[in-house]
């Protein structure tokens, strides 16, 4: 009987240690997964803001120089989609609202006016961006 009790105690102790280590490893992996996800979100947010700044400056420069402009709007749409896919729901909603605001801005400064013939002045451009 003493041998059976010792065996049960040993097996129970080994199982507890194994599951404890596995549990810590799972928690560690979950933490790493969370960090990886946050890193991916930050990269996507930086990319979104970078594209926004870039095409805003391209359009602003076109108005200032009375010339046409060209920007890959498909890439802008792709960045918006990427952010929406990896962002938490509330952030994705805000990104969607931001995208709609940018679309209204583009209507005012890029689709409804011709920067070659009727460029916007600095103040008009700033008002459109507001």
């Amino acid at each position: 009987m003493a041998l059976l009790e010792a065996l049960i105690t040993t097996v129970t102790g080994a199982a507890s240690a194994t599951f404890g280590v596995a549990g810590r490893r799972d928690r560690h992996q979950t933490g790493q997964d969370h960090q990886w996800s946050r890193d991916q979100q930050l990269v996507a947010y930086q990319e979104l803001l970078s594209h926004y700044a870039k095409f805003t400056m391209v359009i602003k420069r076109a108005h200032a120089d009375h010339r046409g402009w060209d920007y890959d709007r498909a890439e802008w749409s792709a960045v918006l989609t990427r952010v929406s896919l990896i962002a938490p729901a509330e952030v994705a909603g805000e990104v969607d609202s931001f995208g709609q605001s940018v679309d209204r801005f583009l209507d005012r400064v890029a689709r409804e006016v011709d920067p070659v013939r009727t460029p916007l002045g600095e103040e008009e451009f700033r008002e459109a961006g507001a």
Side-chain angles (χ1 to χ4, degrees):
M1 192 62 147
L3 181 61
L4 182 61
E5 287 177 4
L7 184 61
I8 291 173
T9 302
T10 302
V11 169
T12 304
S16 294
T18 300
F19 290 125
V21 168
R24 281 192 299 269
R25 189 177 306 130
D26 288 346
R27 284 189 301 277
H28 179 71
Q29 184 63 41
T30 301
Q32 286 179 334
D33 290 348
H34 181 71
Q35 183 62 44
W36 179 86
S37 179
R38 286 189 45 85
D39 290 347
Q40 294 303 305
Q41 289 170 357
L42 289 173
V43 167
Y45 302 155
Q46 289 170 340
E47 188 178 11
L48 176 74
L49 294 175
S50 175
H51 275 279
Y52 172 72
K54 185 189 281 184
F55 79 70
T56 300
M57 292 309 298
V58 165
I59 296 169
K60 186 175 184 178
R61 189 83 254 149
H63 281 276
D65 295 345
H66 301 266
R67 62 175 170 77
W69 64 278
D70 188 28
Y71 187 79
D72 186 1
R73 292 184 215 164
E75 185 59 28
W76 168 250
S77 294
V79 170
L80 280 173
T81 301
R82 261 192 305 279
V83 170
S84 294
L85 287 173
I86 65 171
E90 66 275 2
V91 174
E94 291 298 324
V95 167
D96 184 54
S97 294
F98 177 66
Q100 291 174 18
S101 295
V102 168
D103 199 47
R104 287 189 299 275
F105 168 74
L106 289 174
D107 281 343
R108 299 245 356 247
V109 301
R111 297 180 189 127
E112 296 174 356
V113 296
D114 179 1
V116 175
R117 293 188 187 103
T118 56
L120 297 176
E122 181 75 29
E123 186 60 32
E124 293 170 306
F125 198 88
R126 192 177 5 260
E127 287 174 9

